[in-house]
Amino acid sequence: MTDIIEQVHKILEYGDICDHCLGRLFAKRSFGLTNVERGHSLRVAHALAYNIPFKEYDSGTCWICNDLFETIPYWAEKSADAVKGIDHETFVIGTRVPPMMVESEEMIWSDLSLENPEPIKSEMNREVGKAVSAINGKAGDPKNPQVTIILNIADDCVETQIASVYFYGRYFKNVRGIPQTHWDCRACKGKGCEKCNFTGKQYPTSVEEKIAQAPIKMFDADAGVLHGAGREDIDALCIGTGRPFVMEMTNPKHRVFDLKEVEAAINASANPEVGVSLEKWSDKKTVEMLKSHKGHKTYRILVSIDDRISLEQVQNAVSSLKGAWINQRTPERVSHRRADLIRKRQVIDIRVLGIENGLYRLEVVGDGGLYIKELVSGDNGRTDPSLAEILAANAKVVELDVIQVDGLD
């Protein structure tokens, strides 16, 4: 105890310091007391040890925090007001401490080699958090906060950051010609020009925009971001089982809804172009899993093949691709936006379903990331082997539908 009292004596020589700050400097040396209680006890012990009259701290003179802790009720009220109207059950407080306060406390830590202090912001976060809970009944939860409240001390304001809401399901794209997500206009890079009718968009809408429109209003969110398990081409349908996706609603003021209510609102707004089947509420971790998931995909395609080639030749060529490993260099059609790599993907299954108006209907099951159009055409030798290479004839996909995509379930 003697060494602590000696350190207290040196600290008090710097100037007046409040009980909060004095207690914080030894916060990890004892437990069961608040910092203000610890600071008061140390002040008493110091007076007794040095046989000097005990003197209470003179409010308004702390050289470290400038009596910041006396404003805890003020910041708690300000914080509680800031989150009124935002649906949440959990929150966390963060504090931006003015640089001069940080410098002052770090200086004394360094000068006296203090090993067990608690920073100003930690006590402010904790004490304001307890006071906010007392006001609005919400629970402080630093691990999974639905709202983060930032105390900006220097600017005398409170900032709020609302955790995103996520829901998982499958979407169905019933029309061709719309991309999965928003594309900036190629001419103006999203700024707006005559080519895009000053929308900044390459295409009028997207699956993402169709799905997000209704829930943005429901959740009073800033935006909706679609995270898909891969993506289909703009000219492809996505039918059958649909494509797994997570929709992220950013900065939502409301978050308490029945999932079927959300599904119904989306389908009423997005149909007939896009539909959804929602399965569960989700989270950021699921987004990461979905992005890294390499499930199999099943496609039905219509293929145009040189009419000199017989059905038997096509069936034999298709059979030779079943189970084959395909080396695919990044296709020419996407090389402007993807790294030029050679990817190895497997054709799990492939078969001829029949002939429709002179075109071959094929079904293909492949690894995630297998480029189906190039598997057929060969892409000028960038895909090997390919149906066109095996037939030694031109072959081209004229219609592509995604009918099954493996999900996380």
Side-chain angles (χ1 to χ4, degrees), residues 85-97:
I86 298 174
D87 287 348
H88 69 290
E89 293 301 324
T90 60
F91 72 95
V92 70
I93 300 289
T95 305
R96 290 202 186 103
V97 180

Side-chain angles (χ1 to χ4, degrees), residues 21-62:
C21 287
L22 182 58
R24 282 190 307 102
L25 296 176
F26 301 93
K28 299 174 186 176
R29 292 287 292 268
S30 65
F31 302 95
L33 297 175
T34 65
N35 285 333
V36 70
E37 291 169 341
R38 185 180 297 107
H40 181 77
S41 298
L42 289 171
R43 200 182 298 276
V44 171
H46 170 263
L48 291 172
Y50 281 82
N51 195 27
I52 57 176
F54 171 73
K55 181 178 179 294
E56 292 276 8
Y57 166 66
D58 186 11
S59 181
T61 58
C62 180

Side-chain angles (χ1 to χ4, degrees), residues 14-18 43 55-67 70:
Y14 275 77
D16 284 346
I17 183 172
C18 69
R43 200 182 298 276
K55 181 178 179 294
E56 292 276 8
Y57 166 66
D58 186 11
S59 181
T61 58
C62 180
W63 68 274
I64 293 182
C65 77
N66 196 27
D67 284 0
E70 292 186 7

Side-chain angles (χ1 to χ4, degrees), residues 173-391:
K173 191 177 106 180
N174 305 315
V175 297
R176 306 183 196 279
I178 62 174
Q180 184 188 75
T181 55
H182 165 94
W183 283 27
D184 282 344
C185 170
R186 294 193 188 101
C188 65
K189 311 299 183 188
K191 294 177 182 177
C193 64
E194 288 186 6
K195 276 197 171 182
C196 64
N197 199 25
F198 299 97
T199 63
K201 300 195 295 186
Q202 185 68 25
Y203 299 94
T205 190
S206 64
V207 173
E208 178 180 66
E209 291 165 283
K210 285 284 184 181
I211 295 175
Q213 184 177 7
I216 283 175
K217 294 176 182 176
M218 294 177 70
F219 290 88
D220 194 8
D222 286 353
V225 181
L226 186 145
H227 306 279
R231 63 175 64 222
E232 65 283 337
D233 290 334
I234 290 172
D235 59 355
L237 300 183
C238 185
I239 50 180
T241 64
R243 185 179 296 277
F245 76 99
V246 172
M247 175 60 76
E248 176 184 359
M249 308 309 299
T250 63
N251 206 36
K253 309 300 185 301
H254 306 298
R255 62 196 310 126
V256 183
F257 293 98
D258 180 270
L259 196 60
K260 287 301 176 184
E261 182 185 355
V262 179
E263 178 184 293
I266 293 171
N267 285 330
S269 170
N271 277 340
E273 293 92 344
V274 174
V276 300
S277 173
L278 302 187
E279 298 178 17
K280 59 186 177 182
W281 297 105
S282 191
D283 53 30
K284 189 174 182 180
K285 184 177 180 181
T286 305
V287 172
E288 295 165 358
M289 292 169 60
L290 195 67
K291 291 294 187 183
S292 61
H293 183 61
K294 300 299 181 186
H296 296 160
K297 297 176 175 63
T298 304
Y299 306 84
R300 283 202 184 136
I301 55 178
L302 274 177
V303 179
S304 168
I305 300 174
D306 191 315
D307 58 13
R308 293 171 297 174
I309 305 298
S310 68
L311 172 60
E312 183 181 5
Q313 287 175 292
V314 173
Q315 288 174 326
N316 289 338
V318 164
S319 295
S320 71
L321 285 172
K322 184 175 181 178
W325 285 92
I326 312 298
N327 295 306
Q328 289 193 311
R329 186 176 173 186
T330 302
E332 290 179 344
R333 65 189 170 91
V334 297
S335 60
H336 62 285
R337 65 177 190 272
R338 297 194 182 168
D340 189 11
L341 302 172
I342 295 177
R343 299 169 177 85
K344 197 176 187 70
R345 298 289 187 267
Q346 188 178 25
V347 178
I348 308 300
D349 192 16
I350 184 169
R351 58 198 177 108
V352 179
L353 299 179
I355 300 176
E356 301 175 15
N357 298 321
L359 302 173
Y360 289 87
R361 175 70 74 180
L362 274 60
E363 183 170 288
V364 185
V365 181
D367 280 342
L370 176 68
Y371 291 105
I372 301 301
K373 291 178 180 178
E374 286 68 27
L375 174 68
V376 170
S377 71
D379 197 27
N380 294 318
R382 295 166 78 95
T383 288
D384 177 46
S386 69
L387 183 61
E389 178 189 4
I390 295 168
L391 291 171

Side-chain angles (χ1 to χ4, degrees), residues 379-407:
D379 197 27
N380 294 318
R382 295 166 78 95
T383 288
D384 177 46
S386 69
L387 183 61
E389 178 189 4
I390 295 168
L391 291 171
N394 291 328
K396 180 183 177 182
V397 172
V398 296
E399 186 177 281
L400 184 150
D401 299 333
V402 182
I403 62 169
Q404 191 272 329
V405 181
D406 286 352

